[in-house]
Amino acid sequence: MKIVLPVAGNGMRLRPYTEDLPKCLLPVAGKPIIDWIVEDSQDLKPEETIFITGYKAEQMDEYLTRKPEWGKTRTVRQENPQGLGEAISLALPFVDDDEPLLIILGDTLFEADLSILKRERENVLYTFRVEDPSRFGVAVTNAQGRIERLEEKPQKFVSDEAIVGIYFIRDVRALKDALAEIMKNDRRTKGEFQLTDALQMMIEAGCKFHTAPVQKWLDCGLVETLLDTNAYVISRNDNSSEFSAHSVKGPCHIGKNVTLINSRIGPNVAVGDNCVLKNCKIKNAILWDGVRISGGTIENTIVHR
């Protein structure tokens, strides 16, 4: 199996934080977003993980040199981004036709059982049941659970299974052909080459798809949703008990070599490594590595270097 992680986006909605880092390297609960995604997939033992880079690509290249535990990795540059379909097509020359492919979007976190893919013989789209399907692309299934079609932001109810950005492809040759046809004929949706258009072509050609559930779908696209995601992930990885109850109120993540002087931290705070916090109160916040704060109250925000 090979895994493809598209991380080329410029993260405009997260400015000014993405002026320093690509979105996938923004910290959440003590780790970059991309670390949580890759670590969730490592049990699949991929032969190679391919990162589709673009914005601040050189930072991702450098970061991967510090991750030998991720095994074999490769970066492919998307120079002039024209949609997710184009991004995936750039990775496909490095994937054999008979080799399973897992695509995971590099900007959302999730809780899902990926281990089922070790024995899966069909194509799988992971989905999450939502209250308002009109905001999402959805998978429409039949009585047997197979996907009949994909619809983007349906205004009439057809399904509540939102497509979350985890795609397992067994029919790699069919995906290659569909994306090649879309780009050859300049078939765009909203000005871009869309992966969902290629998947719909595969379904119409007879490729079998079914859904698999995501238990939790966590957005990292806006400051407020990034803070919500941070709070949730911290609640599952709380290390506040290692610190004085008088200074840290969990759930929190406190990094390495952090100095706390007359400060109250928490709840829902992620403090990066080598921070110095003096005479301050902080809650519901993300502090990057090396932040120094002296005095004041920090709440509902991100403090970067």
Side-chain angles (χ1 to χ4, degrees), residues 136-170:
F136 304 96
V138 300
V140 182
T141 57
N142 61 22
Q144 289 72 44
R146 295 206 191 280
I147 299 175
E148 293 185 327
R149 68 184 189 278
L150 307 175
E151 286 203 21
E152 183 66 26
K153 298 181 179 179
Q155 297 308 299
K156 293 183 178 180
F157 181 86
V158 292
S159 170
D160 62 356
E161 292 191 74
I163 302 166
V164 302
I166 307 173
Y167 316 84
F168 179 71
I169 307 297
R170 292 291 316 200

Side-chain angles (χ1 to χ4, degrees), residues 17 26-31 222-235 239 248-255 264-273 275 277 280-289 291 293 296-304:
Y17 309 109
L26 296 182
V28 169
K31 296 180 187 179
L222 300 169
V223 171
E224 54 267 34
T225 58
L226 190 64
L227 289 169
D228 289 343
T229 294
N230 181 68
Y232 178 82
V233 177
I234 286 174
S235 73
N239 73 347
V248 179
K249 178 182 179 181
C252 285
H253 170 83
I254 310 296
R264 298 293 181 89
I265 311 300
N268 302 327
V269 175
V271 180
D273 296 344
C275 290
L277 309 176
C280 57
K281 296 179 180 179
I282 304 174
K283 60 182 178 179
N284 194 37
I286 299 172
L287 277 58
W288 288 20
D289 291 350
V291 165
I293 299 175
T297 298
I298 305 295
E299 185 174 358
N300 302 326
T301 193
I302 300 169
V303 183
H304 67 328

